[in-house]
Structure formats: C-alpha cells, structure tokens
Amino acid sequence: MIFLVIMSIIFIILAVIFLMGKGDKLIAGYNTASEEEKSKVNIKRLRLLMAIICVITAGFLSIQPIIESNRATQIGAFFAFILVTMVFIILANTWAKKK
C-alpha cells in the first residue's frame, strides 16, 4: 500500500509539472523528435493531456487498496483504465497535432 501511495504522489507531481508548462523532456517520443516533428505538435494540448492522464493514473492507483477484495471490480477498473488510456493516445495523436 505504501508503494501505491508513493506512486500516486509521483503521478500528481508529474501532473503539476506538466500543468506548469514544464516537463517536455518527460514526454515519450516528443523529447526524441526532430525540430520539424516538434513543430507539428501543439505542446500546450499535449501537456494538458499528459497532466490529465497522470491524474487519472494516480486515481486508479489510489483506489486499488479499496477494491482489493473484489476481483470483478479490479478487472472492471483495469479495463476502464485501459480504455481511457487508449482514448488519450488517440487524442494525443489527433487533438494535440497542429492543423
């Protein structure tokens, strides 16, 4: 349980970093992209998406001790988390791109 609390705090800190406009180097793929590829990305939207997914991840980790005893709830929460993650991947590749 202590591990889950520490991980939740780390994800909340990451969300704050992204919302402050920092942490571009922490975004996988963006930090290794060329300047030409970076110019195609709306970094403010990408940071917002990253902050939201960090908060969702922290929330998911925080509820794990609560739903620990119910296996069906754990599986449902896991699949909901995977679905939300896929939606955010799609948003990062569409909404966060410059038109």
Side-chain angles (χ1 to χ4, degrees):
M1 186 164 139
I2 294 172
F3 175 74
L4 293 175
V5 171
I6 292 170
M7 291 303 296
S8 295
I9 291 169
I10 289 171
F11 277 107
I12 294 295
I13 291 169
L14 282 173
V16 171
I17 289 170
F18 287 128
L19 288 174
M20 289 173 40
K22 309 289 183 194
D24 297 346
K25 296 285 184 188
L26 300 174
I27 301 174
Y30 183 79
N31 61 345
T32 59
S34 66
E35 289 302 319
E36 179 183 329
E37 292 172 337
K38 286 182 181 181
S39 67
K40 296 178 184 177
V41 176
N42 185 334
I43 190 61
K44 289 183 182 180
R45 287 182 177 182
L46 186 58
R47 283 187 205 125
L48 178 63
L49 287 172
M50 292 301 296
I52 293 170
I53 197 69
C54 283
V55 169
I56 290 170
T57 303
F60 176 74
L61 291 173
S62 297
I63 66 167
Q64 288 304 307
I66 299 168
I67 63 173
E68 178 179 313
S69 61
N70 189 342
R71 187 74 170 156
T73 307
Q74 279 184 329
I75 293 170
F78 174 74
F79 282 113
F81 179 74
I82 295 298
L83 179 66
V84 169
T85 302
M86 290 190 316
V87 167
F88 275 85
I89 290 170
I90 292 168
L91 285 173
N93 287 298
T94 56
W95 184 67
K97 296 283 183 178
K98 289 184 181 174
K99 295 176 174 124

